[in-house]
Amino acid sequence: MSVRMDPAAFPASSRSPRAPFAARRGERIDAIAQDIREEGGRAATCVVDVTEAEDLRRLVSTTVDQYCRIDVLVNNAGIASISPLADLDTDGWSAMIDVNLRGMLNGVAAALPVFREQGSSIISVAGLSSVSPSMAVYAATKNAVRTVHEGLRTESTDGVVRTTAISPGYVRTDLVDSMADPQIREQTRKHMDAMGIPPAAVARAAAFAIEQPGDVEIGEINVRPTVQA
């Protein structure tokens, strides 16, 4: 899942960001970076597979070399290979654990040493705490992200590192493309089309957390359509 962080969604103080974007598909992040440049900001791109720890270390190293620091890490990679547990899709379970949880941990591991030296914010996309049919393992990985964030928060009460877990409801993204079951995929797509909010809503939530004074931490934000049950 790739939530597009629309530059217009960020606060005025950061409308011209210096932002490196990372994803598996270079063409997607190249387009986002171009939008930011057209808004007067600076943006770089880096093709990264979050399941590879070395890719995240390379991203952090490249960012520090180019910009001298990292202010915010947004862990946003995710897939939803959802199916009933009785289907025994162990490959899908492993893939979600690798991307949704291990990918976030790889990002934290790569950036945390830098953050401990300079102070920064870590934002990760978790998930709403409810569990729907066929979503047990997906929900488990996203709730694990929330738990890791809470653990990191309790270890960071010196105020150097701030953490925020953002849990979105239906957002109009390409997350459905990672769903192998055609019936579940189409049902989810219908829900997204009917009630999904734009990705910029998630970006505004991230911006809200980032722009707080240094002594304020927004630990968790739920962002969902007003019509979502």
Side-chain angles (χ1 to χ4, degrees):
M1 171 178 159
S2 178
V3 174
R4 184 176 183 277
M5 293 298 186
D6 190 331
F10 283 87
S13 61
S14 59
R15 289 283 171 80
S16 298
R18 294 177 295 174
F21 287 87
R24 289 184 300 109
R25 293 170 291 182
E27 67 277 5
R28 294 291 301 277
I29 52 177
D30 286 342
I32 297 173
Q34 183 59 34
D35 286 348
I36 289 179
R37 296 186 192 106
E38 291 175 358
E39 292 286 329
R42 294 171 55 192
T45 61
C46 186
V47 176
V48 166
D49 181 347
V50 298
T51 66
E52 298 292 337
E54 180 55 38
D55 279 12
L56 275 301
R57 288 192 289 267
R58 174 170 51 84
L59 172 64
V60 168
S61 176
T62 300
T63 302
V64 172
D65 288 345
Q66 185 164 352
Y67 299 110
C68 299
R69 61 179 290 117
I70 306 175
D71 294 306
V72 181
L73 170 69
V74 179
N75 291 302
N76 187 49
I79 60 173
S81 302
I82 60 178
S83 62
L85 289 173
D87 286 357
L88 303 180
D89 180 17
T90 55
D91 288 341
W93 302 348
S94 295
M96 286 188 286
I97 293 169
D98 285 344
V99 175
N100 301 353
L101 178 56
R102 198 186 313 277
M104 181 274 296
L105 289 171
N106 286 340
V108 170
L112 194 56
V114 176
F115 286 178
R116 292 302 307 169
E117 290 183 2
Q118 60 165 53
S120 293
S121 297
I122 298 176
I123 297 176
S124 294
V125 176
L128 299 178
S129 58
S130 60
V131 180
S132 302
S134 304
M135 297 187 68
V137 178
Y138 173 79
T141 63
K142 289 301 189 176
N143 278 290
V145 169
R146 183 182 296 104
T147 300
V148 170
H149 261 252
E150 179 60 13
L152 184 57
R153 183 195 67 78
T154 62
E155 295 177 11
S156 306
T157 53
D158 55 4
V160 176
V161 178
R162 301 189 301 179
T163 65
T164 302
I166 299 180
S167 299
Y170 281 111
V171 180
R172 292 193 296 272
T173 70
D174 57 4
L175 180 66
V176 294
D177 294 341
S178 64
M179 300 176 184
D181 186 301
Q183 183 175 355
I184 293 177
R185 184 171 60 246
E186 289 310 309
Q187 182 181 26
T188 304
R189 195 187 304 277
K190 287 180 181 178
H191 286 307
M192 280 188 175
D193 291 343
M195 69 176 76
I197 55 179
V202 181
R204 288 192 295 270
F208 173 75
I210 293 167
E211 69 181 351
Q212 298 305 307
D215 61 345
V216 176
E217 178 179 64
I218 306 298
E220 185 170 351
I221 304 176
N222 291 343
V223 183
R224 60 166 69 90
T226 54
V227 296
Q228 182 174 344

